[in-house]
Amino acid sequence: MTMNTQTISGVFAGEVTGIDITRPLPDETIAAIEAGMDRHAVLVFHDQPLTDDTQRAFSRQFGELESAAGGHVTAVRDRRLPLDMQDASNLDQNQNVLTRDDRRRFFNLGNRLWHSDSSFRAVPAKYSLLSGRIVAEQGGNTEFADMRAAYDALDAATKAEIDGLVCEHSLMFSRGLLGFTELTEAEIAMFRPVCQPLVRVHPVTGRKSLFLSAHGGTIIGWPVPEARAFLRDLTEQATQRRFVYSHRWRQHDLVMWDNRQTMHRVTRFDESQPRDMRRTTIAGTATA
Ligand SMILES: [Fe+2]
């Protein structure tokens, strides 16, 4: 079998076939996947029954794994997964579905907002790799918006205006949008804002993209309400359906995306049923 990457009809994302990512892969295959990521920004691999170990092994070929430390209100001792895997499930450490009023669930609801993974970290994420171990029967799609196309579609005056702007990102801003503001002193210190440019340039293709995220809450030098209104306008424009691919999960899908070129969100699903999604994240490089 040879690896083949096909653009998914009508969207920017690609579907990769003819490859078994649960086994070690030669360097040229990894390079071909990287090239596919540069072009499509989202790649879908079906029928890949990964374990935590094989997911780690596949992921590590694209760079260093990011640690989940500092990115959640769940204490490290209460985590269901080790720190090198982000838990995108609705489960607690005993594999029980989180109850409706659990603050860990409130925090997870932030994933319903358009965001770029770890934009709240000084070193934001390069790639995220999400493995569908138990997928939702209804809903729970992961939607991706192409931030390159969104940038290209801006008028010249807006492009000139945003050139060089720097935003502050924090988990406090994204959770604040949902009214989840009850944080401890330690959490507030952990979620200290970091600076990110509003426009990024892809290191390989040179394409510009909008670096938006629900975590973005201020623009340096702007009044806060004006910055938030503007970021909201940009997000609305950037997430029009013509820029979006909505991924309907099948069990054992692995979806990989470039956080530098896309935003994503999860759609609503029946949270009384277990949904077990595990993410490995490739650390990027500091932007500021
Ligand atoms: Fe995410």
Side-chain angles (χ1 to χ4, degrees):
M1 289 239 281
T2 24
M3 183 182 122
N4 182 38
T5 305
Q6 202 89 44
T7 304
I8 297 172
S9 172
V11 293
F12 57 96
E15 184 179 298
V16 185
T17 52
I19 181 173
D20 177 358
I21 63 172
T22 69
R23 293 164 180 278
L25 293 166
D27 290 348
E28 56 266 30
T29 306
I30 298 301
I33 294 170
E34 291 245 26
M37 288 295 287
D38 291 344
R39 175 158 171 229
H40 295 282
V42 177
L43 290 177
V44 174
F45 304 77
H46 292 299
D47 306 314
Q48 307 289 339
L50 292 159
T51 63
D52 291 353
D53 281 340
T54 54
Q55 181 174 346
R56 278 190 193 97
F58 176 65
S59 303
R60 278 200 190 107
Q61 301 184 83
F62 302 100
E64 244 175 76
L65 296 191
E66 182 187 280
S67 163
H72 207 283
V73 295
T74 304
V76 169
R77 65 176 178 280
D78 294 335
R79 286 179 56 84
R80 190 175 71 100
L81 304 177
L83 272 173
D84 60 2
M85 299 206 101
Q86 275 84 359
D87 195 351
S89 78
N90 61 343
L91 305 171
D92 67 14
Q93 66 274 46
N94 302 313
Q95 317 304 322
N96 295 316
V97 168
L98 293 170
T99 58
R100 193 173 190 185
D101 59 356
D102 192 307
R103 73 193 292 270
R104 294 171 291 182
R105 171 175 176 264
F106 298 162
F107 187 88
N108 292 344
L109 285 166
N111 292 323
R112 294 256 294 275
L113 306 176
W114 287 106
H115 66 281
S116 173
D117 285 335
S118 298
S119 74
F120 56 85
R121 295 185 190 278
V123 177
K126 178 187 176 192
Y127 298 159
S128 291
L129 299 94
L130 190 60
S131 165
R133 309 293 176 85
I134 302 173
V135 304
E137 273 178 37
Q138 294 281 327
N141 282 20
T142 303
E143 300 200 315
F144 297 94
D146 185 347
M147 292 297 104
R148 306 162 298 180
Y151 177 85
D152 291 346
L154 296 173
D155 58 53
T158 308
K159 283 180 184 164
E161 188 178 13
I162 64 176
D163 184 43
L165 290 183
V166 174
C167 299
E168 283 184 313
H169 291 231
S170 165
L171 284 163
M172 277 186 287
F173 297 142
S174 51
R175 274 50 190 177
L177 290 170
L178 295 178
F180 179 46
T181 52
E182 280 175 36
L183 300 171
T184 65
E185 287 301 314
E187 286 164 351
I188 291 167
M190 189 163 76
F191 299 157
R192 199 174 44 242
V194 301
C195 287
Q196 305 290 1
L198 183 50
V199 177
R200 295 186 76 169
V201 179
H202 191 277
V204 176
T205 66
R207 278 191 82 179
K208 287 187 173 174
S209 58
L210 274 174
F211 194 37
L212 292 168
S213 185
H215 308 310
T218 70
I219 300 173
I220 303 292
W222 284 41
V224 169
E226 187 183 351
R228 293 209 183 161
F230 184 48
L231 291 173
R232 182 176 283 225
D233 284 348
L234 287 174
T235 300
E236 226 172 77
Q237 285 181 43
T239 55
Q240 296 172 67
R241 293 320 286 184
R242 64 187 165 118
F243 301 132
V244 171
Y245 164 60
S246 186
H247 183 71
R248 169 95 207 103
W249 285 90
R250 303 191 334 215
Q251 195 191 15
H252 301 317
D253 280 350
L254 184 284
V255 181
M256 178 171 179
W257 64 89
D258 187 337
N259 289 291
R260 303 165 303 180
Q261 313 194 80
T262 57
M263 276 204 290
H264 62 281
R265 67 173 179 184
V266 64
T267 64
R268 202 161 178 239
F269 60 97
D270 178 0
E271 290 185 62
S272 69
Q273 300 302 313
R275 177 178 185 263
D276 189 350
M277 316 290 285
R278 302 185 186 202
R279 193 184 97 204
T280 35
T281 311
I282 311 302
T285 46
T287 58

